[in-house]
Amino acid sequence: MRHAALLALALALPAPAMAEPQVFEMRLGGRAIGTLTYDASDAGAGWTTNLDNTPLGVADGVFAASSAPVTTTTGTDALRYRGVTETSRRNRMVEYVHTGGQVLSVAVTPDEDATNMSVADRVPLGILDPVEALGRFLDSNGCPAPLRIYDGRRVVDVTPQGSSVEDGRLVCDLDYTVVAGPGHLSPLGIQSLDVTLSYEQPAAGPAILREMDVRTGLLGLRVVR
């Protein structure tokens, strides 16, 4: 059950933002369970997580997320976030429009997948969508600053917990905590995860995010470029 929970969560893991399309391998223990591909252009940014080799196929499926510019009916420049999950057990679409850290509208399909936080007026100010948030990880000079993420169903705070240099790489420890709305993977309700980002630091040019490790309990998922 715990393996299924972590694998299902992998469908919603964000990818490190890169200037060119990049493919990352996702690993559970020593097993390659799928790929994560990120792309960005002037039209927006997004990623696709494709899990096709999870144990017994319990979490096989596709999650696609995008964040793209849009103009509202009132003429406001905004971003539209869309997250689509397609598995043998669940099909879901979450979409919301936001500007300046404020959510303007939210839609979740099917209706029963909406939560108490799938209402624009209930979402706190200062949020980033998941695609934006990972862009912040890449642009940070050093470990990322604290940030707040909204995925259409919950609000998450990501808080730095410390840093170190290991084998020439900058290692950043982060706490990922759901602060409003349900935990991940009902009925498990996972509220907190430990996240570690590993950056290569070349002599010239920006740091490169090479690996993201996500841990809950004794289980660990690795996303490796």
Side-chain angles (χ1 to χ4, degrees):
M1 183 65 174
R2 295 178 67 195
H3 278 286
L6 189 61
L7 290 168
L9 185 61
L11 285 171
L13 280 176
M18 302 298 294
E20 299 292 335
Q22 297 288 327
V23 178
F24 299 79
E25 185 178 73
M26 306 184 76
R27 303 173 185 169
L28 185 70
R31 182 188 185 113
I33 60 172
T35 59
L36 186 155
T37 303
Y38 180 93
D39 198 3
S41 70
D42 292 340
W47 74 80
T48 300
T49 301
N50 188 344
L51 300 182
D52 57 7
N53 189 40
T54 64
L56 303 177
V58 295
D60 285 2
V62 175
F63 176 80
S66 62
S67 181
V70 64
T71 301
T72 68
T73 56
T74 60
T76 302
D77 292 332
L79 288 173
R80 174 182 286 119
Y81 169 78
R82 179 178 293 168
V84 179
T85 302
E86 296 180 346
T87 72
S88 60
R89 297 179 299 153
R90 172 179 290 120
N91 290 293
R92 174 193 295 153
M93 184 175 77
V94 175
E95 184 175 281
Y96 72 86
V97 176
H98 63 107
T99 183
Q102 179 179 5
V103 175
L104 305 179
S105 63
V106 186
V108 178
T109 306
D111 292 342
E112 57 264 29
D113 283 357
T115 74
N116 64 316
M117 293 306 297
S118 299
V119 178
D121 291 345
R122 295 178 182 173
V123 182
L125 299 177
I127 62 90
L128 301 174
D129 69 44
V131 178
E132 284 186 297
L134 267 293
R136 294 287 182 92
F137 284 2
L138 178 65
D139 292 339
S140 63
N141 293 319
C143 292
L147 50 85
R148 176 162 286 180
I149 305 171
Y150 176 61
D151 67 0
R153 303 179 71 242
R154 62 183 60 83
V155 179
V156 173
D157 278 354
V158 178
T159 308
Q161 297 296 301
S163 65
S164 60
V165 176
E166 301 176 10
D167 297 325
R169 290 189 178 185
L170 174 64
V171 177
C172 305
D173 295 320
L174 309 174
D175 176 72
Y176 173 108
T177 300
V178 177
V179 295
H184 291 283
L185 305 173
S186 176
L188 297 178
I190 296 174
Q191 295 282 342
S192 182
L193 297 165
D194 295 320
V195 179
T196 300
L197 306 178
S198 179
Y199 291 90
E200 179 183 344
Q201 298 181 291
I208 300 170
L209 182 57
R210 287 291 182 182
E211 184 171 336
M212 179 168 63
D213 294 341
V214 181
R215 297 179 302 281
T216 176
L218 298 177
L219 298 178
L221 178 75
R222 300 176 64 204
V223 181
V224 183
R225 188 155 74 95

